[in-house]
Amino acid sequence: METGISSCRAKDTTVIAIDGPAGSGKSTVARLTAHRLGFFLLDTGALYRALALHLMRHGITDSAGPVDPEVLNSVNLRVEPAVGAMQVFLDGEDVTADIRSEKVGDAASRYSSRPEVRHTLVGLQRDLGTRWNLVAEGRDMGSVVFPEAKVKIFLTADLEVRARRRYLELRDKGERPAFDDVLADMRDRDVRDETRSVSPLVQAWDATRLDTTDLTPDQVVEQIIQYIKESCADASPVS
Ligand code: DC
């Protein structure tokens, strides 16, 4: 634990909550911030992806249809947090790489609007927050899962810039998507994430908003570390 930020502890652990839409830079920034602080990274999108994979593997492919509670409750998810990375295991199998596909991401976005799906994962996330110092990234970290977190950051960026980042990421992976398709997908995902009735993507009232449109990830991290030092008043420098 960084001595400089101990006043931001809730009970025994500290949670830094980072939320924002797809492409806002959350994942990279959360990973770098966790590394700077020596905290574990909790990538909650990965949990929604793994649960979606579980449902798909059980033949539940209609995200609008009924989800068999037995299948939902039978999910056996384990995460191994580590500084700057998080491994996800489904039924003992490491699915960290498998859940990165567009197909699983799209299913995660659809299933995550279901209250029973969210309910299944909230307990797991909170439990990790009682055991580890976390940089927790997602859509509802500051608003729902860790409302008591003293440091809450909400990242945004222009839609086109977010789509461009996603497009370049896919190209780096060897895919050849059309930019307009990536843009349309991102717009759809924003609408779904922002309009679902349970835990929609929303800035918590006490979160600090940071627009990353014209910033590099390192610049964003620098601002977050600065903000943490200022918010956690007994701050001796966080290296
Ligand atoms: O961040 P990501 O793309 O890996 O997340 C996949 C989907 O999971 C995303 O479209 C919305 C959903 N999600 C969510 O609803 N709540 C979270 N805390 C994290 C992700």
Side-chain angles (χ1 to χ4, degrees):
M1 156 77 69
E2 306 293 331
T3 51
I5 60 171
S6 57
S7 70
C8 279
R9 275 183 183 204
K11 303 204 177 104
D12 294 331
T13 55
T14 301
V15 174
I16 309 292
I18 302 184
D19 292 302
S24 58
K26 269 187 322 293
S27 308
T28 309
V29 163
R31 182 168 43 77
L32 294 173
T33 305
H35 200 259
R36 277 284 289 275
L37 298 174
F39 283 18
F40 287 141
L41 174 72
L42 175 60
D43 169 2
T44 59
L47 301 180
Y48 283 92
R49 286 168 181 264
L51 184 51
L53 182 62
H54 169 76
L55 297 176
M56 289 157 77
R57 284 180 173 177
H58 283 80
I60 300 176
T61 50
D62 176 10
S63 56
V67 176
D68 183 345
E70 250 179 66
V71 173
L72 196 55
N73 293 332
S74 72
V75 69
N76 174 11
L77 261 185
R78 183 167 60 84
V79 302
E80 288 204 354
V83 174
M86 189 185 99
Q87 277 181 297
V88 189
F89 296 83
L90 181 61
D91 295 322
E93 177 195 344
D94 185 348
V95 293
T96 312
D98 297 345
I99 57 174
R100 288 294 136 203
S101 72
E102 280 300 280
K103 196 171 164 202
V104 175
D106 191 61
S109 168
R110 293 173 189 281
Y111 286 120
S112 62
S113 65
R114 313 277 303 242
E116 66 274 39
V117 168
R118 304 203 73 79
H119 180 75
T120 303
L121 293 179
V122 166
L124 171 63
Q125 296 166 62
R126 288 194 179 138
D127 179 55
L128 291 167
T130 63
R131 292 195 279 138
W132 312 99
N133 292 321
L134 293 178
V135 173
E137 63 115 330
R139 306 293 195 285
D140 58 348
M141 297 300 97
S143 56
V144 173
V145 181
F146 299 113
E148 77 291 354
K150 302 257 177 15
V151 177
K152 300 180 184 179
I153 310 288
F154 191 86
L155 299 180
T156 60
D158 291 351
L159 174 65
E160 293 247 347
V161 169
R162 292 191 286 116
R164 172 77 44 197
R165 289 173 182 164
R166 184 76 193 121
Y167 170 77
L168 294 175
E169 217 176 273
L170 291 171
R171 287 190 60 107
D172 276 354
K173 284 203 284 181
E175 296 178 32
R176 290 283 171 272
F179 175 73
D180 285 349
D181 290 343
V182 177
L183 183 65
D185 281 353
M186 191 151 282
R187 193 176 280 127
D188 287 352
R189 197 170 286 199
D190 279 359
V191 170
R192 273 203 302 274
D193 288 351
E194 286 166 9
T195 58
R196 64 173 174 242
S197 54
V198 190
S199 296
L201 170 65
V202 65
Q203 181 178 343
W205 68 272
D206 51 352
T208 294
R209 194 179 187 88
L210 235 170
D211 188 330
T212 71
T213 303
D214 298 316
L215 298 176
T216 65
D218 283 336
Q219 288 171 323
V220 178
V221 173
E222 213 42 65
Q223 291 199 23
I224 291 175
I225 297 286
Q226 205 50 45
Y227 175 70
I228 292 172
K229 286 185 197 171
E230 285 162 14
S231 316
C232 306
D234 71 341
S236 56
V238 176
S239 64

